Amino acid sequence: MQKTVVCPGSFDPVTLGHLDIIRRTASIFDKVIVVVMTNYRKKNLNYFTAEERADFIRRCTVDLPNVTVDFSDGLLADYVKKVGACAIVKGLRAVSDFEDEFQQALTNKSLAPEVETVFITTSSEYMFLSSSAVKQVCELGGDISKFVSPQIREDIVSRIHARVQSEKQHGESK
Ligand code: ADP
């Protein structure tokens, strides 16, 4: 039987750390659905729109035929049941990820007992990599080429720089 799994996240934007987890997941399971979570509470906290985030992931995974990208604005447990996935796969960085991930895994287990949460340990080079670090470095003019895939780097940089510029102009005109 084909094993489908779900890799959920905000991916704002997708980093090499996320892609490492997605690639490794795709090498273990038959079908991987990367789900861009569009929680309405977090909507304004995200830098990129859900469509942009999904487009970045698609462009970085074109060589992985068993990976697809989808959206969900509801309960992850419901989404996983709807698509018939057997597991939720999460990447685990340092100790700081653990408590929150552990709590989410137990909550999802109680909502969907048939679904497991599987953790894949980050590769050491991505241990401290996060989407927020990418945004911070880029906003301050730093080089993000070690953090994001070359296919999407220019788009991320121009988007972030345009926003910084517009915020500066807006601030100056006040
Ligand atoms: P968050 O939960 O902080 O919004 P994301 O949604 O961006 O994080 O990430 C989705 C998943 O990818 C989470 O399981 C997160 O722990 C994992 N992840 C994020 N960055 C890395 C990384 N550098 N290495 C491994 N896993 C990561």
Side-chain angles (χ1 to χ4, degrees):
M1 202 179 98
Q2 289 246 320
K3 294 236 186 276
T4 299
V5 297
V6 164
C7 281
S10 316
F11 306 108
D12 187 42
V14 67
T15 68
L16 290 177
H18 292 128
L19 291 169
D20 174 56
I21 298 295
I22 294 168
R23 266 171 207 288
R24 289 158 65 197
T25 304
S27 74
I28 304 172
F29 296 99
D30 300 304
K31 197 174 160 215
V32 180
I33 309 174
V34 181
V35 187
V36 175
M37 301 303 288
T38 57
N39 184 331
Y40 76 98
R41 277 188 188 280
K42 281 179 117 190
K43 206 173 170 186
N44 297 327
L45 299 177
N46 289 319
Y47 210 107
F48 298 95
T49 65
E51 286 74 19
E52 282 173 318
R53 289 180 275 145
D55 176 59
F56 289 151
I57 303 167
R58 283 197 197 99
R59 283 158 59 189
C60 297
T61 55
V62 278
D63 60 321
L64 300 172
N66 59 339
V67 173
T68 54
V69 183
D70 195 8
F71 303 94
S72 172
D73 62 358
L75 259 185
L76 180 61
D78 289 343
Y79 179 87
V80 171
K81 282 194 258 185
K82 184 182 87 183
V83 297
C86 63
I88 297 164
V89 178
K90 304 294 296 277
L92 206 54
R93 281 164 296 193
V95 195
S96 52
D97 270 345
F98 184 77
E99 200 171 314
D100 188 40
E101 292 293 354
F102 194 72
Q103 191 183 24
Q104 284 182 40
L106 289 177
T107 307
N108 285 326
K109 189 77 186 157
S110 94
L111 294 171
E114 67 280 25
V115 178
E116 297 296 340
T117 297
V118 175
F119 292 106
I120 296 192
T121 314
T122 183
S123 299
S124 54
E125 65 264 46
Y126 304 130
M127 175 109 179
F128 299 104
L129 180 52
S130 67
S131 299
S132 344
V134 170
K135 288 176 280 193
Q136 272 173 16
V137 169
C138 191
E139 277 181 349
L140 298 171
D143 177 12
I144 56 164
S145 51
K146 288 203 179 112
F147 306 150
V148 300
S149 194
Q151 292 98 309
I152 59 171
R153 191 182 66 224
E154 284 308 315
D155 283 352
I156 292 176
V157 172
S158 55
R159 229 350 218 91
I160 291 181
H161 287 179
R163 177 154 157 173
V164 169
Q165 244 0 78
S166 124
E167 280 173 2
K168 274 187 186 161
Q169 279 168 4
H170 200 68
E172 277 164 11
S173 65
K174 272 189 189 164

